[in-house]
Each structure stands twice: as structure tokens, then as C-alpha cells.
Amino acid sequence: MQLRALMYFDEVVRTNSMRAAAENLNVAATAVSRQIENLEHYFGTPLVERSSRGIRLTAAGELLAARAGKTLRELEHVHQLIDDLQGLQRGRVVIYANGAAVANLLAPVLAQFSLKYPNLRFEVAITTARQAIEALSSAEADLVVTLFAPKLTGVKVRLRSEVAYDLITSAKHAAAGLAEISLKDVATLPLALPDKSFGARQAFEEQFAKVGVELDPVFVTGSLEMLKELVLREAAVTLLPRLTITREIEMGLLSAIPISGGRAVKTAIELCVAPDRQLSFAAAKLVDFIDAFMRGAEPRKAGQKPKRGV
């Protein structure tokens, strides 16, 4: 069985069209059809059924489709590892992250990193934690970066860094000029918070309960941008790490007020990888860069070992 035939089949599955697959692969539609026929001859059974409406996978086609994509991605990964052995600093890193982590964490890291390694390529997908874990297990993602995500299973945490949550208000809010604020005072304000599936919300509930307060948020949403917008429009205040609103603070739009009495809620930014998959040169170097950024330090010199999560 030829690798090209498997690649063509995977593209047909992805596009659900011989013609679209041919256009994406920059080949003639007859070439795609011929490679599918080669696969069908190899397996001794039809893989697709053609009609005027497009194609439909047979039962055998469904079985192959479920494995073809991962097989091709694993082969590409092996190709990168072989390049690493030869000292070739090239490759691609696929990162899945939730929205809160991307703008203020990944963007500046990737900008600096790409200048140091111009031959590397990056693909960043903004998604849910569940989709990110599925991407790791199917070899679609090399790294997953999460902030205030639900507890994740089936992953290995390579890096973990705690961040504290401040009260975030509009710059025009009466509390904006305070040096600090108590949890009890925070609870009297109209709050916008993530839902209870998020680790941060669970941490909020626990910390507020310690001071005898039950949370009753006005708005509940898992969207960082929605939280920011509600605060900007002065409809609510929220609790977020300062790093997620750095740009808005610099623009004079939002303010971050620390929680007093050492009662600030803290949760972790986590960088996760597949537990049974070796990182390529590109992915490993990026892990080091993200580690340095999360710890507020310059990227480490060669040979210096990082502190890593379990």
C-alpha cells in the first residue's frame, strides 16, 4: 500500500468530495480516484460509494478513516524526529488552547520564538478543554495550554504555573482606585463568572465559603471575551488573572485590584502533552520558552533543567 494513496483517501474523507480533495491536493480528480481504487484493491473491498450527491464511506471505509488520519500524523511526527536526529531545526507545532490562555500567553511567546527559529511553523487552535484532549489522543495536537479549565484526564502535565485572580473592574468603577479589596466586599458587587465546570469557579466557591459568603453571580459564561465586555460596559465586575487583561490595563480601560488578606484565589496555567508521545525538537523548545514566560524569566540556557509538573 502506498503512502500517497492513504493521504489521498484521508483528504477525501476530510472534504467528503473527490473534486474538493483533488483541488486541495493540486492534482486531477482522476488521480484521486485512481489512488482510492488502489486502496480498495489492497484491502479487497470497496471503501467509498460514489453518487451524484458525493461520496459515502462503506463500513470498511469508516474503519480505515478512523485510523488513517492518526497514522499519517504519526508518520509526520516520526519524520520530524528523524530531522531532529540530523540536526535540522525545522518542523511544525500544533497547539490547542482555550481563549484565556492564547492572547496574553501564547502570542508573545510565539512571536519571540519564531524569530529565534524562523524555519519552524505553528498552528494554534482555540477550542474547549475536551476537544483539546481529544486532539492530543488522536495525535492532532502536540501541546495543550489551558487556563481555568476543568480537570483534565488522559494527559501529562509538563509545566504548571500558579496565577492569582484579582478583581477586574472598569477603569471608571468606584473600586478601581483601591489598593486592595476583601472577598466579602467583592461579593457585594455584580459578578460575572465562569460556570461551575471550570476549575477557577470551583476555587472561587471554596475560597468565598471560607469567609462565609455564597456566590450569586449576575452573569455566568465560559468566554473570556464576554467577561471582559461585561466589565468594560460596567454591567459587572469579574475575577481574572492580571495577565489576561494586560493590554486593557495599558490602554486605561480596565483595572485589577488585588484581594486582601492573602485570600486571592489561585489556579494553574497548565501545559499538557500526550503521555506516550515523544516531543519533537520544535515542540520541546517551545515548551522551554513557555516555561520561561510563565515563570517571568528569560529562556534558559542549554543544559539548565526546568521545574516541571508531575
Side-chain angles (χ1 to χ4, degrees), residues 86-222:
Q86 297 173 337
L88 302 177
Q89 295 183 358
R90 65 190 184 195
R92 182 172 67 105
V93 185
V94 179
I95 308 147
Y96 275 57
N98 67 343
V102 173
N104 298 95
L105 175 61
L106 285 182
V109 172
L110 291 177
Q112 294 177 36
F113 189 68
S114 64
L115 292 175
K116 187 176 178 76
Y117 299 100
N119 292 328
L120 301 183
R121 299 294 180 263
F122 310 92
E123 183 178 331
V124 182
I126 313 303
T127 184
T128 66
R130 182 183 299 277
Q131 290 170 327
I133 300 314
E134 291 174 353
L136 272 182
S137 64
S138 64
E140 291 181 52
D142 298 302
L143 309 174
V144 168
V145 183
T146 65
L147 176 61
F148 63 74
K151 290 184 179 180
L152 307 178
T153 59
V155 302
K156 177 181 179 182
V157 178
R158 281 291 300 268
L159 302 174
R160 179 185 288 112
S161 180
E162 278 197 335
V163 291
Y165 287 69
D166 293 334
L167 175 68
I168 308 303
T169 73
S170 162
K172 301 175 183 178
H173 195 280
L178 296 177
E180 57 183 23
I181 189 169
S182 71
L183 287 180
K184 286 189 175 181
D185 286 339
V186 169
T188 65
L189 301 173
L191 285 167
L193 298 174
D195 65 56
K196 292 184 179 181
S197 69
F198 287 88
R201 175 62 184 276
Q202 296 164 24
F204 297 157
E205 298 281 350
E206 182 179 344
Q207 194 75 320
F208 276 85
K210 289 179 180 178
V211 296
V213 173
E214 183 176 349
L215 286 174
D216 182 25
V218 177
F219 302 98
V220 174
T221 175

Side-chain angles (χ1 to χ4, degrees), residues 9 40 43-48 57-67:
F9 175 76
E40 291 177 330
F43 287 108
T45 185
L47 298 174
V48 300
L57 294 179
T58 64
E62 293 282 1
L63 283 173
L64 181 59
R67 292 160 178 80

Side-chain angles (χ1 to χ4, degrees), residues 39 127 141 161 163 167-168 203 241 249 260 271 277 301 303:
L39 276 180
T127 184
S161 180
V163 291
L167 175 68
I168 308 303
I249 290 177
S260 63
L271 190 153
R277 196 165 189 248
K301 296 179 181 178

